[in-house]
Amino acid sequence: EGYLVTKQIFAKHPQVKLLFAANDMMALGALKYLEENKRAEVKVAAYDALDEAVAEVEAGRLAVTVNQQAAEQGFQGVTLAVRLLKDERVPQITLIDTRLITAKPK
């Protein structure tokens, strides 16, 4: 799907220089399209920090990916649910830091 969406974007907006994908799988599709169409100047960023995306960051093809710390999200969700089951008060908002994954400087 990322491949097709990227193709549609560039058909209408060939001047685009940066894509921010909602997730790594979409970014990987975008990278495939950009590579096939020799658009190496376009930077792509995404969310999820999947192993495949981290490898693309390390290879210099994906600009960045964002680790949303899914395990921490799950842990916090269960922790808050247990507290609610015990009739304890919980915060209305719980923030979990994200981590930007970039290529290591050479």
Side-chain angles (χ1 to χ4, degrees):
E1 189 176 344
Y3 182 96
L4 294 175
V5 169
T6 303
K7 182 177 180 179
Q8 292 169 352
I9 289 170
F10 279 87
K12 292 180 182 177
H13 307 284
Q15 74 283 6
V16 168
K17 299 293 181 205
L18 174 65
L19 290 175
F20 192 95
N23 58 60
D24 286 339
M25 295 308 293
M26 295 290 284
L28 295 174
L31 288 176
K32 182 177 179 184
Y33 173 83
L34 294 168
E35 182 179 334
E36 287 178 4
N37 289 277
K38 300 186 182 0
R39 297 295 307 262
E41 80 283 4
V42 178
K43 303 275 187 227
V44 180
Y47 266 103
D48 290 333
L50 298 177
D51 291 341
E52 299 92 332
V54 172
E56 292 295 323
V57 169
E58 290 171 352
R61 290 184 287 273
L62 183 62
V64 299
T65 185
V66 179
N67 181 341
Q68 299 181 77
Q69 300 198 72
E72 182 65 18
Q73 289 178 24
F75 174 80
Q76 291 296 330
V78 171
T79 298
L80 293 171
V82 168
R83 286 178 58 189
L84 286 170
L85 289 170
K86 294 178 179 179
D87 289 325
E88 295 177 11
R89 293 182 59 127
V90 298
Q92 285 188 329
I93 298 173
T94 300
L95 299 177
I96 297 170
D97 290 334
T98 57
R99 295 186 179 144
L100 189 64
I101 308 297
T102 61
K104 294 177 178 69
K106 296 180 182 185

